Amino acid sequence: MIQNASEECQTIDSEGAPPYKSSDMFRSPGPVALQIGPLSIRWYGILMALAMAIGLWLAYRDARRRGLDPESLLKASELGLLGALVGARLYYVLFNLDYYIQFPRKIIAVWEGGLAIHGGIIGGILVGGGYAYLRKLPVREYLDIAAPSIVLGQAIGRWGNYFNEEAFGTPTALPWKLYISPSHRPLLYAQDDFFHPAFLYESIWDLAVFFVLVYVFRDRFKQAKGALFLTYLGLYSVGRFLTEGLRTDPLMFGPIRVAQVVSLLGVAAAVIAVPLMLRRSRA
């Protein structure tokens, strides 16, 4: 049975007043950045747009640095982004199918959250990579260029979870604990106020992976096309496996946390394929 773990731990309805001073807490100020009449501009959308813009800018610069046509790369990247958005949403909807069958109009409400990065990677490769392959462009080198942009975009985009009060972990009393309002807490933890900021852990990990890719591996792997992308996949997957174990809202397939299984596959792919690529490039 496919389900989201949050279906087992439904959230409570009453918002309630927090028993602490807002100024003393690490807590979300709310999902809406700006309200103009009936129009709500949400932080989630702002951060997604920012992540995509920065990612495209970095990819453009790297293409020029490598002596590739940046315009061709941008075309493939723009199509890849569209594929990634659709793939990320469809992947999330698939693993929450019971909910979206009841509320089909919510399927397009991406501004409320609900984008799965693994679905985004699949969709981006299929659409952007497919376009590059058909145009006989260097697909594997494009993926290497995209890798730092993707993981930096993830580091930025994770803060959308903060504003939406989602992707948090189990209760904690650590100094960096995150206050979650009652309406967003799973029923299992209805009496708990503070939780692990799992989104923050992953954001920090993603930022670290970005710097490792750019300053440690990018030039070293230049001749092994595709190795940098697989290194990104492996490193990201290590962090995702760990943070996923904390989360109270994982995508589930029966008793299995889907993201953890996919993360193990990502690590395995990197561990097996990257050394082979490096050996072939040096032969």
Side-chain angles (χ1 to χ4, degrees):
M1 177 182 176
I2 296 174
Q3 62 182 15
N4 186 306
S6 61
E7 293 177 7
E8 296 178 347
C9 304
Q10 297 176 355
T11 56
I12 58 179
D13 295 327
S14 60
E15 182 72 30
Y20 311 96
K21 293 181 180 179
S22 296
S23 59
D24 297 335
M25 292 188 296
F26 177 30
R27 65 167 297 174
S28 168
V32 178
L34 184 63
Q35 187 76 41
I36 305 174
L39 176 65
S40 297
I41 299 176
R42 292 174 174 257
W43 284 112
Y44 195 95
I46 292 172
L47 290 165
M48 290 298 296
L50 179 64
M52 289 187 284
I54 292 176
L56 289 172
W57 176 72
L58 287 174
Y60 184 89
R61 284 171 54 90
D62 196 22
R64 294 187 64 180
R65 190 181 68 89
R66 293 169 182 256
L68 298 174
D69 175 19
E71 298 303 327
S72 296
L73 171 74
L74 282 183
K75 181 63 175 178
S77 299
E78 288 164 1
L79 291 171
L81 280 173
L82 289 174
L85 287 172
V86 173
R89 186 58 173 175
L90 289 179
Y91 191 97
Y92 184 84
V93 168
L94 174 64
F95 286 99
N96 289 279
L97 206 52
D98 292 344
Y99 173 80
Y100 287 105
I101 286 174
Q102 295 180 58
F103 305 101
R105 287 182 294 181
K106 288 284 188 178
I107 291 175
I108 63 171
V110 294
W111 53 87
E112 296 179 0
L115 297 173
I117 184 58
H118 290 125
I121 292 171
I122 294 169
I125 291 175
L126 288 176
V127 177
Y131 168 83
Y133 177 79
L134 292 174
R135 295 294 301 272
K136 302 188 185 311
L137 298 170
V139 176
R140 288 191 295 174
E141 194 163 10
Y142 277 12
L143 289 174
D144 286 343
I145 291 172
S149 293
I150 293 171
V151 77
L152 182 60
Q154 289 172 246
I156 296 169
R158 271 299 173 202
W159 283 87
N161 300 137
Y162 163 66
F163 290 102
N164 282 356
E165 291 191 83
E166 59 191 8
F168 53 87
T170 49
T172 184
L174 290 169
W176 53 85
K177 61 197 176 195
L178 172 68
Y179 178 81
I180 296 295
S181 56
S183 63
H184 290 86
R185 298 173 197 163
L187 283 177
L188 181 63
Y189 304 117
Q191 303 308 312
D192 294 287
D193 295 312
F194 299 102
F195 298 78
H196 279 285
F199 81 89
L200 176 61
Y201 302 157
E202 189 172 329
S203 181
I204 293 172
W205 178 264
D206 291 343
L207 188 60
V209 171
F210 168 77
F211 284 108
V212 169
L213 292 179
V214 171
Y215 295 107
V216 178
F217 292 119
R218 186 166 65 180
D219 289 337
R220 293 182 185 182
F221 291 177
K222 190 173 182 179
Q223 300 305 316
K225 311 302 184 188
L228 190 68
F229 179 80
L230 285 175
T231 301
Y232 145 70
L233 193 62
L235 290 175
Y236 164 69
S237 295
V238 171
R240 180 59 187 271
F241 182 89
L242 297 174
T243 57
E244 191 71 13
L246 285 173
R247 285 179 56 167
T248 59
D249 63 342
L251 299 180
M252 304 290 291
F253 186 84
I256 299 171
R257 293 181 180 236
V258 177
Q260 287 192 316
V261 173
V262 177
S263 294
L264 289 175
L265 294 175
V267 172
V271 169
I272 294 170
V274 170
L276 291 175
M277 289 178 170
L278 292 174
R279 279 200 291 270
R280 287 178 182 174
S281 71
R282 294 165 183 163

